[in-house]
């Protein structure tokens, strides 16, 4: 697993740990789109974190517009989403960046344009011939949670 900009991710959490929100996008209906909700399930267990979206309350293509009803400060928010790549060598890699997020783009939809910090996990290639395993996603989530806990729980 390659984690692009991991230092930036950890610094962002340290800087905003007292007022940090995670918006976890995706659905458990498809393994390749489950990174957001599964990570949300673990994030809600960490005290003092605001988490929008998990397996029981998914934020996905059917209801993403509801994000507009939240008072989200994108300067203190990390969006979590699965990504599709045209390079099978990238599957399983994480990336953190401040850029434009287009949830749904990988499925041929552009549901909402969000300028924000986001953490993405590449879970599938563009022709869906190689899909990441759910156990692999869970192992990555465990690593991320340990990093977040080491910063936020002091």
């Amino acid at each position: 697993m390659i984690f692009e900009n991991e230092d930036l991710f950890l610094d962002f959490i340290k800087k905003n740990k007292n007022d940090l929100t995670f918006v976890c996008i995706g659905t458990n209906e498809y393994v390749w789109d489950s990174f957001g909700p599964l990570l949300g399930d673990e994030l809600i267990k960490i005290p003092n974190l605001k988490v929008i979206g998990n397996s029981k309350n998914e934020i996905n293509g059917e209801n993403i517009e509801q994000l507009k009803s939240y008072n989200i400060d994108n300067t203190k928010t990390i969006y979590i989403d699965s990504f599709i790549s045209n390079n099978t060598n990238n599957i399983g890699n994480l990336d953190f960046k401040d850029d434009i997020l287009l949830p749904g783009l990988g499925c041929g939809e552009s549901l909402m344009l969000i300028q924000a910090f986001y953490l993405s996990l590449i879970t599938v290639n563009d022709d869906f011939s190689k899909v990441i395993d759910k156990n692999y996603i869970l192992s990555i989530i465990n690593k991320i949670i340990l990093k977040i806990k080491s910063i936020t729980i002091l």
Side-chain angles (χ1 to χ4, degrees), residues 92-149:
N93 291 344
L94 285 162
D95 193 10
F96 179 73
K97 59 175 68 172
D98 179 9
D99 203 350
I100 295 174
L101 176 66
L102 296 164
L105 186 63
C107 300
E109 299 179 37
S110 182
L111 303 170
M112 188 178 200
L113 183 134
I114 305 167
Q115 175 68 45
F117 291 92
Y118 63 86
L119 177 66
S120 60
L121 173 64
I122 299 172
T123 58
V124 65
N125 64 332
D126 57 355
D127 68 0
F128 289 80
S129 64
K130 184 172 181 190
V131 178
I132 200 167
D133 179 81
K134 184 173 181 178
N135 288 327
Y136 187 78
I137 294 173
L138 293 172
S139 72
I140 290 174
I141 287 170
N142 287 332
K143 291 174 186 174
I144 293 169
I145 291 298
L146 288 174
K147 292 174 188 294
I148 294 171
K149 282 183 177 179

Side-chain angles (χ1 to χ4, degrees), residues 50-100:
K50 293 178 219 139
V51 180
I52 301 168
N54 60 40
S55 293
K56 292 181 181 171
N57 299 297
E58 293 179 351
I59 301 294
N60 56 45
E62 295 176 5
N63 64 5
I64 197 161
E65 290 294 321
Q66 80 178 17
L67 287 178
K68 292 178 180 177
S69 68
Y70 290 90
N71 186 15
I72 298 174
D73 178 354
N74 281 347
T75 64
K76 297 177 181 179
T77 300
I78 298 175
Y79 289 78
I80 310 291
D81 202 3
S82 301
F83 271 47
I84 296 172
S85 175
N86 60 1
N87 182 345
T88 56
N89 294 327
N90 291 335
I91 293 174
N93 291 344
L94 285 162
D95 193 10
F96 179 73
K97 59 175 68 172
D98 179 9
D99 203 350
I100 295 174

